[in-house]
Amino acid sequence: KKYGEATAILVGDLLHSASFELLARAELPPLAICYFARAIGAQGMVSGQFLDIQAEITDVRKLHRLKTGRLIEAALVLPQWAQGKFPPRRVVHWARALGLLFQITDDLLDATGDSGLLGKTAGKDAAQQKKTFVALLGKEGAHSEAARLASQLQQEAETLFPNSMLLQQLPQQLLNRKS
């Protein structure tokens, strides 16, 4: 808001190109860079953002699987490619579910959180009639779904990431976050 919509769009363009520069410098295989391009482009985040601005969208899971989920998925999958490992399908599914958990808790925080802690206006999603998990499931239903998902993800992480306490604890940390 401070610098206007045109500046915000240009900053987005700048960050977009900077991400590819960083990936190229990391010497990732070309397939990994293509994977990232799809995750943030028409097969991922951009499509999710487009669906978000469409008032008639009804599939909240698809919206957030694309918008938030693919970005978080890329953040977990690309480091495996950087280590020369092709990520197993189970890791990709786990990462997508983690993105879903992030979005459900984000929706809950918008509905119940404190604006000062959030750094944004709480209740904004409802005021704008956004398609959220709280709107779909109610506060209790969204919280139950988030708790179920966090528990499932934590159990799976013990098998998928036996040497990473960070990834094993991440689902509960996302569930319990306050901002």
Side-chain angles (χ1 to χ4, degrees), residues 146-176:
R148 182 198 65 75
L149 196 52
S151 176
Q152 174 189 328
L153 286 166
Q154 189 170 5
Q155 288 175 356
E156 291 173 2
E158 292 170 6
T159 304
L160 290 173
F161 312 107
N163 299 323
S164 176
M165 289 303 294
L166 173 72
L167 291 177
Q168 290 176 30
Q169 294 172 355
L170 188 55
Q172 286 300 317
Q173 290 174 344
L174 286 178
L175 179 66
N176 297 322

Side-chain angles (χ1 to χ4, degrees), residues 97-115:
L98 188 71
L100 189 61
L101 173 62
F102 178 90
Q103 189 61 53
I104 295 170
T105 57
D106 198 60
D107 290 352
L108 282 164
L109 285 171
D110 184 80
T112 63
D114 176 91
S115 295

